[in-house]
Amino acid sequence: MEYLLLEKIDGIGVITINRPDALNAMNDRVVTEISTAVSNMIAVDSIGVIIITGSGEKAFVAGADIKAMQQMDADGALKFGKAGQNMTLVIENSPKPVIAAVNGFALGGGCEISLACHIRVASENAVFGQPEVLLGLIPGWGGTQRLPKIVGTGIANELITTGKQIAAEEAHKIGLANHVVPQDELMDTCKKIAQQILKNGPNAVAASLECINKSVGTSIVEGLNHEVKSFSRLFETGEAKEGLTAFVEKRPPIFRD
Ligand code: CAA
């Protein structure tokens, strides 16, 4: 990988986007590498949670690469847009929770990567925004679809049409960031959340994420139907049996070797 640093620490896969001279802005290559890295980590049994962050203390990701987009025609932009959307779908559909450790600017495509993650934790200096309209664009990697679902349509309308940037505290207030912590505590906070998740049944965690994903954009009846089938299917696994039995036997469950 040219632009990513990859680590595996105690069941957690950490992806650090590392293009500091462009504030981790994403060109074609970065997009492809992220899609590949997340897919690879999903396939590794010993990884249960993935954390995505940016290198340095200034930026998570300052957006899609504006210099590359400046050279694109509509066909090129369609290809670039689809590749970016595909990357966000790989993240969103991951059966392993993906946590965004937002360590600075999360603008445009950077904010959109965080929106596709299941949990967002921000450092105090983080800045979120969808400034595409300032460039005569719209968010092209899912921002128009996911932001309203996370913060509500009214606030998404304002953020996207003004293109304004908001500080971490405001992002927290509107539900965009789950937590705001000092920068030097960011990775530890994300790892603590990951460790809590790792204690739980991996099939149950994956099924929860899948049901939550399905709840968005489907009717409540469809969502409930899907949920109950998935709930009942878990009873066919040894995992549910172990979790239920462990509770009854007043001992911690053992879900992993
Ligand atoms: N693309 C390419 N290069 C970028 C970039 C981007 N998105 N963001 C920053 N950079 C580069 C700068 O060009 C600069 O490089 P040079 O020194 O070679 O000129 C370097 O990173 C440092 O940036 P600044 O000097 O601008 O740093 P700053 O501290 O003054 O400002 C900033 C920081 C406010 C984040 C500013 O860089 C900025 O506004 N960046 C653009 C943010 C943006 O508009 N993002 C959305 C892109 S569109 C998009 O993402 C579309 C989509 O939905 C897919």
Side-chain angles (χ1 to χ4, degrees), residues 16 46 54 76 143 166 169 214:
T16 304
S46 57
I166 58 168
E169 269 312 326
K214 282 255 177 204

Side-chain angles (χ1 to χ4, degrees), residues 16-18 20 24 53-60 103-104 125 183 186:
T16 304
I17 302 161
N18 185 34
N24 304 325
T53 194
S55 71
E57 301 200 333
K58 189 169 171 184
F60 174 68
N103 57 313
N125 66 322
Q183 180 138 53
L186 180 64

Side-chain angles (χ1 to χ4, degrees), residues 19-26 58-59 61-69 80-81 84 105 107-112 129-132 134-135 137-143 165:
R19 200 186 169 208
D21 49 347
L23 300 183
N24 304 325
M26 294 180 296
K58 189 169 171 184
V61 171
D65 188 323
I66 297 174
K67 292 168 190 167
M69 286 190 297
F80 189 52
F105 288 109
L107 300 176
C111 187
E112 288 168 302
Q130 295 291 166
E132 286 87 348
L134 277 71
L135 300 164
L137 298 174
I138 64 165
W141 294 350
Q165 299 178 12

Side-chain angles (χ1 to χ4, degrees), residues 4-221:
L4 302 185
L5 304 174
L6 304 175
E7 283 171 282
K8 198 188 115 193
I9 313 158
D10 300 332
I12 306 166
V14 180
I15 298 174
T16 304
I17 302 161
N18 185 34
R19 200 186 169 208
D21 49 347
L23 300 183
N24 304 325
M26 294 180 296
N27 56 20
D28 257 337
R29 171 105 197 197
V30 183
V31 170
T32 306
E33 288 189 1
I34 294 174
S35 301
T36 306
V38 174
S39 301
N40 289 347
M41 286 187 177
I42 291 171
V44 174
D45 280 346
S46 57
I47 290 179
V49 178
I50 299 165
I51 297 175
I52 300 181
T53 194
S55 71
E57 301 200 333
K58 189 169 171 184
F60 174 68
V61 171
D65 188 323
I66 297 174
K67 292 168 190 167
M69 286 190 297
Q70 195 197 3
Q71 310 299 323
M72 284 176 199
D73 60 13
D75 282 346
L78 189 65
K79 215 166 139 226
F80 189 52
K82 283 190 172 169
Q85 283 191 344
N86 177 58
M87 168 189 66
T88 64
L89 284 171
V90 170
I91 296 169
E92 185 171 69
N93 292 329
S94 164
K96 302 175 178 181
V98 185
I99 302 174
V102 181
N103 57 313
F105 288 109
L107 300 176
C111 187
E112 288 168 302
I113 287 196
S114 84
L115 297 175
C117 291
H118 304 103
I119 295 170
R120 283 163 293 283
V121 182
S123 59
E124 286 167 343
N125 66 322
V127 175
F128 292 80
Q130 295 291 166
E132 286 87 348
V133 287
L134 277 71
L135 300 164
L137 298 174
I138 64 165
W141 294 350
T144 63
Q145 303 305 300
R146 294 191 181 98
L147 189 61
K149 286 167 186 138
I150 294 169
V151 302
T153 308
I155 292 179
N157 285 340
E158 184 177 336
L159 285 175
I160 290 175
T161 59
T162 60
K164 73 176 178 183
Q165 299 178 12
I166 58 168
E169 269 312 326
E170 177 151 8
H172 185 225
K173 207 170 75 191
I174 62 174
L176 183 51
N178 295 28
H179 308 277
V180 180
V181 296
Q183 180 138 53
D184 59 0
E185 291 171 24
L186 180 64
M187 286 310 282
D188 277 350
T189 305
C190 293
K191 284 177 191 165
K192 274 187 197 145
I193 297 171
Q195 291 298 350
Q196 228 176 326
I197 295 169
L198 286 168
K199 288 187 190 135
N200 303 327
N203 289 319
V205 167
S208 304
L209 293 180
E210 201 222 343
C211 287
I212 294 167
N213 276 349
K214 282 255 177 204
S215 78
V216 180
T218 49
S219 75
I220 182 75
V221 174

